[in-house]
Amino acid sequence: MGVGIAVGLSGFAFGVTSAGGGLTVAQTCALSLLVFTGASQFALVGALASGGNPLTAAAGAFFLGVRNAFYGLRLSQLLALPRAVRPFAAQWVIDETTAVALAQPTRRSVRIGFTVTGLSLYTLWNLTTLLGAVGADAIGDTDAWGLDAAGPAVFLALLAPMLKTTMERAVAVAAVVLGLGLLSVLPAGVPVLVAALAAPAALYVEGRRRPGSGGRPGTGHGAPGEGR
Amino acid sequence: MTIWIAIGVTAVGCYVVKLTGLLVPAGVLERPLVRRLAALLPVALLAALTAQQTFADGRLLVVDAKAAGLAAAAVALLLRAPFLLVVGAAVVVTAGVRAMTG
């Protein structure tokens, strides 16, 4: 499955980056096994490598991970899992599994999509992390190979099918402006969370324009940059 | 040792937020407004994250070879290329631009 291989590339890049940042192979693999949310992992090793305080580094990684709570919110509705299964499914609540699950038409295919993506990504991500960490010395600079572009490209490919309506595009543009604009003034991880406010802000603006709305998704109107 | 503490804190924190989302009672999500919000939040988060991973270096904004790579990915998406080709285009173009600009 395409998503899996592409993510495998980023897992490899993560392994190399982490080992290059001074973490041991065991520490690098523990991150992929236990944290399993790529952006947070990159943020943590990046902060540690640049000599940051470990707790500040962990806080940045945590804030980046908070978005997974919003994904869980949406997924719990779609997956409708029994309570006993949820603690096990939780570890797989990430960008990629959410995007694949959201794209499925029926509950059955949502569950299959989530499980297959979760299982294949978890396996691949950890294998390629190990490979990257062990092979870090042989590879040298991952940036020279362009591997650091794999992560954002994966996110872009996941995002693209979600941008169907004006409303969704407006939210995306507002989120980009907020996320980049606040980068230099807020601590790591926080700008992404503030950018999430583009969603409620857009709904609020829409509600003001057409009182009593809140019906079918996909009928929204919005202008880029309305997040603020 | 401190690195292990950072790993532990991050692992627990990230797991707890994942679980929290899944444990919110279904009743809360039946209101149309909440449902639309839950659908739009992933869009905002993914968009912000894509932009940051492309244009952010720590707390600085930079435009480097990754921007060219992402542009290539966007073109591939517009041409309805398969997923792997999209990511491959980004990686190859980024590496190519870096090789040329030294």
Side-chain angles (χ1 to χ4, degrees), chain B residues 52-71:
Chain B
Q52 280 198 3
Q53 292 200 348
T54 310
F55 299 108
D57 183 5
R59 295 174 71 169
L60 294 175
L61 281 183
V62 289
V63 178
D64 62 6
K66 260 188 291 182
L70 204 73

mmCIF file of all heavy atoms in Angstrom, chain B residues 52-71:
data_model
loop_
_atom_site.group_PDB
_atom_site.id
_atom_site.type_symbol
_atom_site.label_atom_id
_atom_site.label_comp_id
_atom_site.label_asym_id
_atom_site.label_seq_id
_atom_site.Cartn_x
_atom_site.Cartn_y
_atom_site.Cartn_z
ATOM 1 N N GLN B 52 4.375 23.930 8.127
ATOM 2 C CA GLN B 52 5.496 24.043 9.068
ATOM 3 C C GLN B 52 6.643 23.131 8.701
ATOM 4 O O GLN B 52 7.806 23.499 8.782
ATOM 5 C CB GLN B 52 5.025 23.724 10.482
ATOM 6 C CG GLN B 52 4.322 24.891 11.113
ATOM 7 C CD GLN B 52 4.232 24.758 12.610
ATOM 8 O OE1 GLN B 52 4.740 23.811 13.194
ATOM 9 N NE2 GLN B 52 3.565 25.706 13.221
ATOM 10 N N GLN B 53 6.313 21.902 8.318
ATOM 11 C CA GLN B 53 7.394 20.966 8.002
ATOM 12 C C GLN B 53 8.136 21.383 6.745
ATOM 13 O O GLN B 53 9.261 20.969 6.518
ATOM 14 C CB GLN B 53 6.832 19.553 7.835
ATOM 15 C CG GLN B 53 6.336 19.001 9.154
ATOM 16 C CD GLN B 53 6.228 17.503 9.145
ATOM 17 O OE1 GLN B 53 6.312 16.874 8.114
ATOM 18 N NE2 GLN B 53 6.027 16.940 10.321
ATOM 19 N N THR B 54 7.476 22.186 5.911
ATOM 20 C CA THR B 54 8.121 22.628 4.677
ATOM 21 C C THR B 54 8.917 23.916 4.887
ATOM 22 O O THR B 54 10.031 24.049 4.401
ATOM 23 C CB THR B 54 7.067 22.875 3.580
ATOM 24 O OG1 THR B 54 6.220 21.738 3.509
ATOM 25 C CG2 THR B 54 7.724 23.094 2.235
ATOM 26 N N PHE B 55 8.335 24.850 5.620
ATOM 27 C CA PHE B 55 8.916 26.202 5.666
ATOM 28 C C PHE B 55 9.518 26.585 7.008
ATOM 29 O O PHE B 55 10.003 27.699 7.162
ATOM 30 C CB PHE B 55 7.849 27.236 5.281
ATOM 31 C CG PHE B 55 7.312 27.054 3.901
ATOM 32 C CD1 PHE B 55 6.025 26.576 3.684
ATOM 33 C CD2 PHE B 55 8.113 27.334 2.800
ATOM 34 C CE1 PHE B 55 5.539 26.394 2.408
ATOM 35 C CE2 PHE B 55 7.625 27.159 1.520
ATOM 36 C CZ PHE B 55 6.341 26.691 1.326
ATOM 37 N N ALA B 56 9.472 25.681 8.000
ATOM 38 C CA ALA B 56 9.993 26.057 9.308
ATOM 39 C C ALA B 56 11.310 25.362 9.586
ATOM 40 O O ALA B 56 11.457 24.170 9.343
ATOM 41 C CB ALA B 56 8.976 25.709 10.384
ATOM 42 N N ASP B 57 12.261 26.145 10.097
ATOM 43 C CA ASP B 57 13.498 25.565 10.598
ATOM 44 C C ASP B 57 13.612 26.032 12.045
ATOM 45 O O ASP B 57 14.009 27.154 12.306
ATOM 46 C CB ASP B 57 14.676 26.047 9.754
ATOM 47 C CG ASP B 57 15.980 25.388 10.209
ATOM 48 O OD1 ASP B 57 15.924 24.507 11.092
ATOM 49 O OD2 ASP B 57 17.045 25.771 9.707
ATOM 50 N N GLY B 58 13.215 25.179 12.960
ATOM 51 C CA GLY B 58 13.091 25.618 14.345
ATOM 52 C C GLY B 58 11.997 26.670 14.412
ATOM 53 O O GLY B 58 10.869 26.415 14.015
ATOM 54 N N ARG B 59 12.349 27.879 14.860
ATOM 55 C CA ARG B 59 11.340 28.933 14.925
ATOM 56 C C ARG B 59 11.501 29.940 13.799
ATOM 57 O O ARG B 59 10.893 31.008 13.813
ATOM 58 C CB ARG B 59 11.407 29.615 16.285
ATOM 59 C CG ARG B 59 11.021 28.652 17.400
ATOM 60 C CD ARG B 59 11.207 29.245 18.765
ATOM 61 N NE ARG B 59 10.215 30.283 19.039
ATOM 62 C CZ ARG B 59 10.038 30.807 20.254
ATOM 63 N NH1 ARG B 59 10.753 30.400 21.256
ATOM 64 N NH2 ARG B 59 9.124 31.742 20.441
ATOM 65 N N LEU B 60 12.323 29.598 12.814
ATOM 66 C CA LEU B 60 12.540 30.504 11.690
ATOM 67 C C LEU B 60 11.793 30.024 10.463
ATOM 68 O O LEU B 60 11.594 28.836 10.265
ATOM 69 C CB LEU B 60 14.033 30.574 11.358
ATOM 70 C CG LEU B 60 14.939 31.196 12.429
ATOM 71 C CD1 LEU B 60 16.387 31.072 11.999
ATOM 72 C CD2 LEU B 60 14.545 32.645 12.657
ATOM 73 N N LEU B 61 11.374 30.995 9.639
ATOM 74 C CA LEU B 61 10.766 30.642 8.357
ATOM 75 C C LEU B 61 11.861 30.578 7.303
ATOM 76 O O LEU B 61 12.674 31.489 7.197
ATOM 77 C CB LEU B 61 9.757 31.711 7.947
ATOM 78 C CG LEU B 61 8.393 31.647 8.632
ATOM 79 C CD1 LEU B 61 7.480 32.715 8.065
ATOM 80 C CD2 LEU B 61 7.773 30.279 8.453
ATOM 81 N N VAL B 62 11.890 29.493 6.544
ATOM 82 C CA VAL B 62 12.889 29.389 5.488
ATOM 83 C C VAL B 62 12.231 28.860 4.217
ATOM 84 O O VAL B 62 11.274 28.081 4.271
ATOM 85 C CB VAL B 62 14.029 28.412 5.866
ATOM 86 C CG1 VAL B 62 14.908 28.984 6.950
ATOM 87 C CG2 VAL B 62 13.462 27.081 6.310
ATOM 88 N N VAL B 63 12.733 29.317 3.083
ATOM 89 C CA VAL B 63 12.319 28.729 1.807
ATOM 90 C C VAL B 63 13.546 28.056 1.225
ATOM 91 O O VAL B 63 14.496 28.729 0.848
ATOM 92 C CB VAL B 63 11.772 29.802 0.851
ATOM 93 C CG1 VAL B 63 11.398 29.170 -0.482
ATOM 94 C CG2 VAL B 63 10.554 30.482 1.463
ATOM 95 N N ASP B 64 13.542 26.725 1.236
ATOM 96 C CA ASP B 64 14.710 26.019 0.699
ATOM 97 C C ASP B 64 14.265 24.973 -0.326
ATOM 98 O O ASP B 64 13.165 25.063 -0.867
ATOM 99 C CB ASP B 64 15.540 25.412 1.834
ATOM 100 C CG ASP B 64 14.754 24.384 2.636
ATOM 101 O OD1 ASP B 64 13.616 24.070 2.237
ATOM 102 O OD2 ASP B 64 15.278 23.900 3.650
ATOM 103 N N ALA B 65 15.111 23.998 -0.550
ATOM 104 C CA ALA B 65 14.822 22.997 -1.577
ATOM 105 C C ALA B 65 13.524 22.232 -1.291
ATOM 106 O O ALA B 65 12.855 21.766 -2.209
ATOM 107 C CB ALA B 65 15.989 22.025 -1.675
ATOM 108 N N LYS B 66 13.162 22.132 0.007
ATOM 109 C CA LYS B 66 11.931 21.424 0.343
ATOM 110 C C LYS B 66 10.709 22.084 -0.290
ATOM 111 O O LYS B 66 9.745 21.407 -0.649
ATOM 112 C CB LYS B 66 11.763 21.398 1.866
ATOM 113 C CG LYS B 66 12.170 20.092 2.493
ATOM 114 C CD LYS B 66 11.801 20.053 3.960
ATOM 115 C CE LYS B 66 12.633 21.000 4.781
ATOM 116 N NZ LYS B 66 12.319 20.943 6.215
ATOM 117 N N ALA B 67 10.746 23.419 -0.413
ATOM 118 C CA ALA B 67 9.623 24.132 -1.022
ATOM 119 C C ALA B 67 9.434 23.672 -2.463
ATOM 120 O O ALA B 67 8.313 23.433 -2.920
ATOM 121 C CB ALA B 67 9.853 25.638 -0.950
ATOM 122 N N ALA B 68 10.568 23.525 -3.183
ATOM 123 C CA ALA B 68 10.503 23.040 -4.562
ATOM 124 C C ALA B 68 9.956 21.610 -4.579
ATOM 125 O O ALA B 68 9.134 21.249 -5.434
ATOM 126 C CB ALA B 68 11.890 23.082 -5.195
ATOM 127 N N GLY B 69 10.407 20.794 -3.626
ATOM 128 C CA GLY B 69 9.923 19.428 -3.534
ATOM 129 C C GLY B 69 8.423 19.373 -3.309
ATOM 130 O O GLY B 69 7.715 18.580 -3.929
ATOM 131 N N LEU B 70 7.932 20.227 -2.412
ATOM 132 C CA LEU B 70 6.502 20.223 -2.114
ATOM 133 C C LEU B 70 5.695 20.717 -3.319
ATOM 134 O O LEU B 70 4.612 20.212 -3.602
ATOM 135 C CB LEU B 70 6.204 21.087 -0.884
ATOM 136 C CG LEU B 70 4.916 20.676 -0.195
ATOM 137 C CD1 LEU B 70 5.106 19.366 0.549
ATOM 138 C CD2 LEU B 70 4.411 21.758 0.739
ATOM 139 N N ALA B 71 6.261 21.700 -4.039
ATOM 140 C CA ALA B 71 5.596 22.180 -5.244
ATOM 141 C C ALA B 71 5.469 21.035 -6.252
ATOM 142 O O ALA B 71 4.423 20.863 -6.893
ATOM 143 C CB ALA B 71 6.375 23.345 -5.840
#
